[in-house]
Amino acid sequence: MEKPKRDIQTRTIHGGDVERYGDAVILPIFQSSTYLYQGQTEYEALRYIRLNNTPNHRVLHSRLADLESGEAGLVTASGMAAISAALLAVVANGDHMIAQGTLYGGTYDLLVRDFPDWGISCDFANPQDPESWESLLRPTTKLFYVETVSNPLMQIPDLGAVTQFCREHGLLAVTDNTFATPVNFRPLEHGFDVVIHSCTKYLNGHTDIVGGAVIGKAEFIARANRRLLHLGGCLDPHACFLLERGLKTLVLRVHHQNRSALEISRFLSKHPQVERVNYPGLEGCGDERSKSLFEGFGGMLSFELRGGNESVHRFFSTLTIPLVAPSLGGVETLITQPAVTSHSALSTEERESLGIRDSLVRLSVGIEATADLIADLGHALDASAG
Ligand code: PLP
């Protein structure tokens, strides 16, 4: 009998195939690099941590697939390991891909600095302008890559146009859903073929591991897994355990962060020291049709501060709750200047052309009381004016 589809809040705790060991309610950490040989005849069937198939991996594979409405899932050693394994399962020497211009800096850097060395080329598209995409197509184009909410400008591309374009031209539609999380948007339910996460962020939620995930059709995940096994990007079982634990509170955290970030965005957009706020929950930020598919807009926002670098330094040094650090998606509020952290690998010209100025500040809203965060931000904004 087919299991009834339960709410995502229940599925973060009970979803997927849970194996029980020794009557333990919680899956223990299987800290064994290898397992007894059971007559397997295929390499990938051997039980070994690098082959990503210990009980700690298997529970995550099925739970993540369940949360993103996919056939199969794969956990990886980092978000970048997920991105490289997924992309290299599709593109090879001589192939071409299209990607959205404003991406996480590491992904952008992989596409412009590493892929050309391996004979893979990439053209960048304006995600809000579908008319311009056809001119980028080549006979060797294999996929279109976007972020459902882009880092750090929080743009939501025209997601329906991306999947339709991919169907019309036989491309794989791949998206990084790290910022949205499956709580707010599940891309596979809306025509995407492959979903990627940096689990370092919201899925784990506690800023204590680095991990990644790829979710999609079983046949695709098998291909990505083969790439991963030889690139060596497996997640260790202790990190798997922490990720499984973190996932259980994903919905509670994200619902709070959705509400808090919206309230903070509204506050910031009225403050005289703030020139512009980027948050998809505000009117005029991102594609309206795509936004109607979202159940919330997440805990990430960015804003331009008046007064340039000096003002940013005064602002950061006055804050008492947000910690000045890169990364995002944890229970504590983090604040950063993308030009010197997540996007520092880009040249000043590249950053300017993408709209990432030095005065841009990115806030990852944690689960502290919203009123305390607003009071602290307000005080530091007043001080930033000098
Ligand atoms: N994707 C997005 C949207 C990110 O923000 C990041 C990191 O900040 C990554 C991927 C890379 O993830 P990781 O640091 O886990 O490799």
Side-chain angles (χ1 to χ4, degrees):
M1 195 178 80
E2 203 177 309
K3 279 199 222 164
K5 190 82 172 167
R6 292 179 169 147
D7 189 272
I8 191 163
Q9 190 152 351
T10 307
R11 290 188 282 124
T12 49
I13 295 160
H14 300 290
D17 303 322
V18 181
E19 300 169 57
R20 304 256 176 236
Y21 291 87
D23 292 336
V25 168
I26 300 299
L27 184 69
I29 306 172
F30 282 76
Q31 201 68 56
S32 177
S33 62
T34 191
Y35 290 72
L36 297 178
Y37 179 66
Q38 300 286 358
Q40 296 96 325
T41 50
E42 282 178 27
Y43 176 62
E44 285 157 39
L46 295 171
R47 305 285 294 282
Y48 183 58
I49 290 180
R50 182 170 49 75
L51 302 182
N52 255 341
N53 56 13
T54 73
N56 296 108
H57 293 100
R58 289 205 305 264
V59 70
L60 281 170
H61 292 165
S62 68
R63 185 157 306 153
L64 289 165
D66 182 61
L67 291 180
E68 279 288 12
S69 304
E71 273 179 23
L74 176 68
V75 284
T76 63
S78 66
M80 287 311 301
I83 293 166
S84 52
L87 295 183
L88 293 173
V90 191
V91 286
N93 192 2
D95 287 336
H96 172 255
M97 58 176 278
I98 302 173
Q100 164 188 358
T102 50
L103 291 172
Y104 164 60
T107 311
Y108 181 81
D109 216 33
L110 174 76
L111 303 182
V112 300
R113 297 205 221 292
D114 299 307
F115 272 19
D117 289 348
W118 307 330
I120 302 162
S121 55
C122 177
D123 274 306
F124 290 97
N126 176 349
Q128 314 289 6
D129 183 15
E131 303 294 305
S132 64
W133 301 343
E134 196 139 352
S135 65
L136 302 176
L137 281 172
R138 299 184 198 170
T140 53
T141 308
K142 293 282 163 48
L143 68 94
F144 198 148
Y145 184 95
V146 295
E147 290 174 357
T148 44
V149 182
S150 77
N151 182 0
L153 297 175
M154 314 306 153
Q155 290 171 11
I156 298 181
D158 189 339
L159 299 169
V162 171
T163 54
Q164 193 186 338
F165 182 80
C166 286
R167 270 197 301 278
E168 279 169 17
H169 299 284
L171 312 182
L172 211 69
V174 183
T175 190
D176 179 333
N177 199 33
T178 298
F179 278 30
T181 82
V183 180
N184 288 330
F185 182 66
R186 290 172 295 282
L188 300 178
E189 292 177 6
H190 298 279
F192 277 89
D193 300 297
V194 178
V195 175
I196 292 168
H197 279 278
S198 165
C199 302
T200 313
K201 313 298 185 321
Y202 289 98
L203 296 193
N204 178 56
H206 292 75
T207 325
D208 50 13
I209 64 157
V210 171
V214 187
I215 300 116
K217 288 248 158 48
E219 184 273 334
F220 178 82
I221 294 301
R223 266 194 287 151
N225 190 33
R226 254 186 314 274
R227 284 282 183 255
L228 187 77
L229 303 185
H230 291 142
L231 294 171
C234 69
L235 193 64
D236 81 272
H238 185 239
C240 289
F241 172 85
L242 289 174
L243 175 55
E244 197 212 339
R245 184 167 73 164
L247 265 177
K248 290 177 185 167
T249 54
L250 175 72
V251 179
L252 297 178
R253 287 184 279 108
V254 171
H255 281 170
H256 177 90
Q257 285 159 320
N258 285 345
R259 283 192 300 272
S260 197
L262 180 61
E263 223 177 294
I264 292 169
S265 304
R266 287 184 178 143
F267 165 77
L268 292 173
S269 57
K270 290 193 201 110
H271 198 284
Q273 266 301 97
V274 175
E275 215 168 303
R276 173 192 161 79
V277 180
N278 304 306
Y279 184 66
L282 295 181
E283 265 178 40
C285 282
D287 181 77
E288 293 300 326
R289 247 178 321 160
S290 302
K291 279 163 63 169
S292 67
L293 307 173
F294 278 58
E295 291 168 33
F297 297 104
M300 296 300 299
L301 59 99
S302 62
F303 55 100
E304 301 260 358
L305 210 58
R306 290 189 206 282
N309 247 330
E310 284 193 4
S311 173
V312 174
H313 291 150
R314 275 195 296 270
F315 175 59
F316 279 9
S317 61
T318 314
L319 286 168
T320 61
I321 300 177
L323 302 166
V324 181
S327 201
L328 58 111
V331 292
E332 58 290 293
T333 298
L334 297 183
I335 196 158
T336 189
Q337 198 180 358
V340 297
T341 55
S342 58
H343 291 70
S344 58
L346 277 59
S347 68
T348 309
E349 294 72 38
E350 281 172 315
R351 279 198 303 274
E352 291 281 328
S353 74
L354 297 172
I356 304 167
R357 285 181 272 279
D358 287 354
S359 52
L360 186 76
V361 170
R362 192 189 74 184
L363 189 71
S364 166
V365 177
I367 61 166
E368 302 93 340
T370 311
D372 287 339
L373 285 172
I374 288 181
D376 196 42
L377 288 163
H379 174 63
L381 282 173
D382 294 342
S384 75

